[in-house]
Amino acid sequence: LVRTSRKTEAVDYLEKASSFSIDDPNFHYNLGLGFLDTGNLDKALRHAKMAYAGGFPLQGLKRRLTEAG
């Protein structure tokens, strides 16, 4: 949805997904990317921290958050 310029709809789905208690670094990494792509830096950072605390190896989200300030 983010990639097809349906960001308002994407945010709705991201919010629903973030309410799940899923303890999976991959889930949090991708959720962080989604929030970042929709402009919600606070939620992107929160999910990035969960992803990296869980050992997620890719640093793209961290790099993009750093670039965003």
Side-chain angles (χ1 to χ4, degrees), residues 44-57:
L45 180 60
R46 181 168 38 122
H47 287 282
K49 287 179 179 180
M50 288 187 243
Y52 294 122
F56 196 82

Side-chain angles (χ1 to χ4, degrees), residues 9 22 25 28 35-36 39 42 46 50 53 56 59 61 64 68:
E9 194 175 346
I22 297 175
H28 290 291
F35 279 121
L36 182 62
D42 291 336
R46 181 168 38 122
M50 288 187 243
F56 196 82
Q59 298 297 305
L61 178 56
R64 289 184 56 200

Side-chain angles (χ1 to χ4, degrees), residues 10-64:
V11 169
D12 291 339
Y13 280 99
L14 290 167
E15 291 291 343
K16 288 177 187 173
S18 70
S19 70
F20 296 119
S21 298
I22 297 175
D23 189 24
D24 176 28
N26 187 56
F27 172 79
H28 290 291
Y29 182 85
N30 286 297
L31 202 53
L33 286 174
F35 279 121
L36 182 62
D37 288 342
T38 58
N40 193 325
L41 298 180
D42 291 336
K43 289 185 180 181
L45 180 60
R46 181 168 38 122
H47 287 282
K49 287 179 179 180
M50 288 187 243
Y52 294 122
F56 196 82
L58 302 179
Q59 298 297 305
L61 178 56
K62 182 178 180 179
R63 179 185 47 77
R64 289 184 56 200

